Amino acid sequence: MDATQQVARQQVRMRGRSYVAFVFSPVVPVVSWLAEIDATLGKSPGFFSGKPVVLDLSAVDLSQAAIAHLIGSLAERNIRILGIEGVDESKLGANMPPLLTGGRACAITHVEPKAPPPKEKDKDKSKLPSLLLESPVRSGQSIVFAEGDVTVLGSVGSGAEIVAGGSIHVYGTLRGRAMAGINGNSAARIFCQKIEAELLAIDGYYQTADEIADSLRNRPAQAWLEGEMLRITPLN
Amino acid sequence: MAKVLVVTSGKGGVGKTTSTAALGAALAQMGQNVVVIDFDVGLRNLDLVMGAERRVVFDLINVVQGVAKLPQALIRDKRLENLWLLPASQTRDKDALTEEGVKRVIADLKTKFDWILCDSPAGIERGATLAMRYADEAIIVTNPEVSSVRDSDRIIGMLDSKTVRAERGERVEKHLLVTRYDAGRAARGEMLSIDDILEILATPLLGIVPESQDVLRASNVGCPVTLNAASSAPARAYTDAVRRLMGEQVEMTVPVERKGLMDRLLRRRAA
């Protein structure tokens, strides 16, 4: 008993992330639909391997056994199902992929990454991974820049949000939320001319306004991560 | 060249409608041809504040949907012949407004008037976004309190992104109108000071309208305060604001009530 209590408490971090998945919508008869898949695979083998695939069953009415059989048939073709949508949850067995809701359609960019590596490297060099905002960020606006640093010349209003893969620099007053290093960059920092932030976060570790010391308020400050502690100190 | 001006705030009850009526009347008093449009479909008030509620036959929705022609829906003010009102419908809701219809109505009004004042409903939904959609300039009405200021910040962000001008890469010129301002309470730290508000919103100040009984009294008798009590502190503040809108340089002051000696001696009346 005592031994377990002495173990240092591990903080659990939860972060949201969205991915693009292929959506398969089988139609009846399923057998000929599977034949279509086979035809696609015949043209480019390995087309779906390693890609997330979601099964949309809204167009067909399948029993639990039929769904299991369909998932099995796709698995034989090396297609793994990440989740299922458009079906009643009661029809899904315990060992089936989970039910998904709230998906949105989007364009799938570069389906076949044939030779992007050399090109993309060139691009990255010419384009600096930073975003400069010359006007204030108003309440309700959300600036998401996962590629690198965000610099704001004006203020960030209460209820506004800056999300950056790198560091965040605010040359006005930071009244909203600032989340830096969202892709696991624990070296990211947040700098601001005046701190009145609602929330500061670096790499998932956060502090709310309540936890920010009053002595820091209205002063230039920076926030950084020391191990698993978010530290906020005045600048100069 | 006609100017389309939206009077907006995000938050409700800060004085959009009262300010629209007062500014419209003040512009008309200076000889400008003015129309005020009520965009608050379903909860119309501008007709009451303008004292025209008994003369409404057709409304904005009728015109937008092509049921009535624009001249049939326009109501001329009884006191100022170059001040007109386009009322909202009380029986419909904001979904009855279409972007195409509003565009047509505003284009039509632009040929007839110098100033088109759009009284926006509260909120950030369809009614408010359509009221600002075709604006050239915006008046953001703010009370000296944090909730109102934050909502105004939100609205300024929308003016910079959701208007036709913004989408074309142009600017919607923005003016801040602080209403219900009480210098005494601000000095005691009970409400935000003008400096605080300007620091947060970073938008040029158009005027400061003091808290006053005259405003309420004018609304209740259905007459814009600039007409009903032209020498009162709020009326002078609105008139100054209008002169600034027209490009005049007017020193920014916080108008105070002019009190006579007797008022000062007999400050409170026994109930």
Side-chain angles (χ1 to χ4, degrees):
Chain A
M1 284 289 267
D2 282 341
T4 53
Q5 274 176 347
Q6 276 164 11
V7 173
R9 239 179 76 217
Q10 279 285 325
Q11 289 189 34
V12 179
R13 286 186 293 158
M14 283 193 228
R15 276 176 282 176
R17 203 165 283 181
S18 65
Y19 298 88
V20 173
F22 284 101
V23 176
F24 281 7
S25 308
V27 287
V28 278
V30 177
V31 178
S32 44
W33 178 80
L34 277 171
E36 276 298 310
I37 295 282
D38 285 336
T40 311
L41 285 172
K43 273 182 269 176
S44 48
F47 188 88
F48 298 113
S49 66
K51 301 230 170 70
V53 172
V54 170
L55 208 51
D56 179 1
L57 297 178
S58 53
V60 288
D61 187 21
L62 299 178
S63 66
Q64 184 170 341
I67 296 172
H69 185 258
L70 178 60
I71 294 170
S73 311
L74 290 167
E76 282 168 18
R77 292 163 174 81
N78 270 328
I79 298 169
R80 282 202 293 173
I81 305 298
L82 170 80
I84 300 180
E85 64 176 12
V87 70
D88 198 73
E89 200 169 5
S90 59
K91 279 193 180 171
L92 298 183
N95 49 359
M96 283 190 195
L99 183 74
L100 297 178
T101 52
R104 281 176 302 181
C106 68
I108 295 177
T109 47
H110 62 86
V111 171
E112 279 178 284
K114 274 188 178 167
K119 266 190 181 175
E120 270 190 7
K121 268 185 185 168
D122 290 349
K123 254 188 192 171
D124 281 354
K125 271 182 189 168
S126 60
K127 199 179 76 183
L128 280 169
S130 81
L131 175 72
L132 175 70
L133 301 166
E134 295 191 51
S135 49
V137 182
R138 303 288 182 179
S139 181
Q141 290 180 329
S142 177
I143 308 292
V144 182
F145 187 69
E147 291 82 2
D149 290 12
V150 174
T151 307
V152 185
L153 294 186
S155 294
V156 177
S158 158
E161 187 175 81
I162 309 275
V163 180
S167 297
I168 296 172
H169 311 258
V170 180
Y171 286 91
T173 309
L174 173 57
R175 296 190 181 85
R177 299 158 154 248
M179 286 163 252
I182 49 153
N183 293 333
N185 178 3
S186 55
R189 294 189 178 201
I190 299 168
F191 304 89
C192 61
Q193 198 58 247
K194 245 180 163 189
I195 183 168
E196 282 180 51
E198 289 165 351
L199 181 141
L200 295 175
I202 296 172
D203 187 20
Y205 296 97
Y206 67 89
Q207 278 195 11
T208 57
D210 261 0
E211 296 155 334
I212 300 171
D214 279 343
S215 57
L216 287 167
R217 300 217 151 247
N218 269 316
R219 294 175 61 184
Q222 67 160 327
W224 81 95
L225 212 53
E226 192 182 83
E228 295 187 348
M229 279 282 282
L230 184 71
R231 295 223 174 257
I232 306 168
T233 47
L235 276 173
N236 65 49
Chain B
M1 184 63 192
K3 264 192 187 158
V4 183
L5 201 72
V6 62
V7 181
T8 186
S9 71
K11 194 175 186 301
V14 295
K16 283 181 295 297
T17 301
T18 310
S19 297
T20 307
L23 294 168
L27 277 166
Q29 277 176 311
M30 290 180 185
Q32 303 282 309
N33 278 318
V34 184
V35 60
V36 291
I37 314 177
D38 193 348
F39 271 88
D40 205 346
V41 180
L43 293 167
R44 72 170 190 218
N45 283 153
L46 190 57
D47 56 329
L48 287 170
V49 176
M50 302 275 295
E53 73 279 8
R54 296 157 68 138
R55 293 190 287 145
V56 176
V57 182
F58 295 108
D59 54 51
L60 176 63
I61 298 295
N62 295 142
V63 181
V64 161
Q65 295 184 336
V67 176
K69 293 216 167 59
L70 189 56
Q72 292 178 290
L74 284 170
I75 303 170
R76 174 178 258 165
D77 189 81
K78 278 184 174 171
R79 297 145 297 214
L80 293 166
E81 60 166 18
N82 49 350
L83 177 61
W84 297 75
L85 165 72
L86 182 54
S89 168
Q90 183 71 358
T91 52
R92 307 297 293 273
D93 61 47
K94 275 127 190 134
D95 294 334
L97 284 172
T98 61
E99 192 172 324
E100 204 43 50
V102 172
K103 183 182 178 180
R104 209 183 56 236
V105 170
I106 289 192
D108 209 349
L109 289 169
K110 269 182 155 177
T111 63
K112 298 183 173 74
F113 293 95
D114 303 320
W115 294 86
I116 299 155
L117 268 62
C118 305
D119 179 23
S120 170
I124 52 171
E125 287 80 25
R126 193 176 180 80
T129 48
L130 280 176
M132 70 169 66
R133 183 84 185 129
Y134 299 97
D136 301 313
E137 297 187 23
I139 293 178
I140 298 113
V141 182
T142 300
N143 287 169
E145 49 160 305
V146 282
S147 56
S148 173
V149 171
R150 183 162 75 181
D151 290 1
S152 296
D153 198 39
R154 176 92 220 249
I155 281 290
I156 295 171
M158 294 181 71
L159 286 165
D160 285 336
S161 60
K162 299 249 159 94
T163 53
V164 169
R165 267 181 173 250
E167 282 169 11
R168 273 199 242 126
E170 298 166 6
R171 283 192 67 237
V172 173
E173 203 179 320
K174 293 174 286 285
H175 312 275
L176 190 66
L177 185 69
V178 179
T179 55
R180 309 199 66 172
Y181 185 75
D182 186 327
R185 289 187 59 202
R188 290 195 296 276
E190 291 168 14
M191 46 167 72
L192 288 177
S193 73
I194 296 293
D195 287 343
D196 291 340
I197 299 169
L198 292 179
E199 213 262 314
I200 295 172
L201 294 180
T203 299
L205 186 62
L206 181 71
I208 306 162
V209 181
E211 171 87 68
S212 167
Q213 286 299 311
D214 290 315
V215 176
L216 188 65
R217 214 174 291 136
S219 292
N220 282 338
V221 298
C223 181
V225 70
T226 35
L227 294 179
N228 195 53
S231 61
S232 66
R236 281 181 288 134
Y238 279 120
T239 308
D240 282 356
V242 160
R243 285 166 61 199
R244 288 183 198 108
L245 264 185
M246 292 177 66
E248 268 185 62
Q249 292 290 327
V250 185
E251 200 197 338
M252 187 68 67
T253 53
V254 185
V256 289
E257 300 282 345
R258 279 181 194 148
K259 277 190 182 146
L261 178 66
M262 289 309 280
D263 285 330
R264 257 177 261 158
L265 286 176
L266 307 170
R267 207 183 280 162
R268 216 169 291 151
R269 182 176 176 184

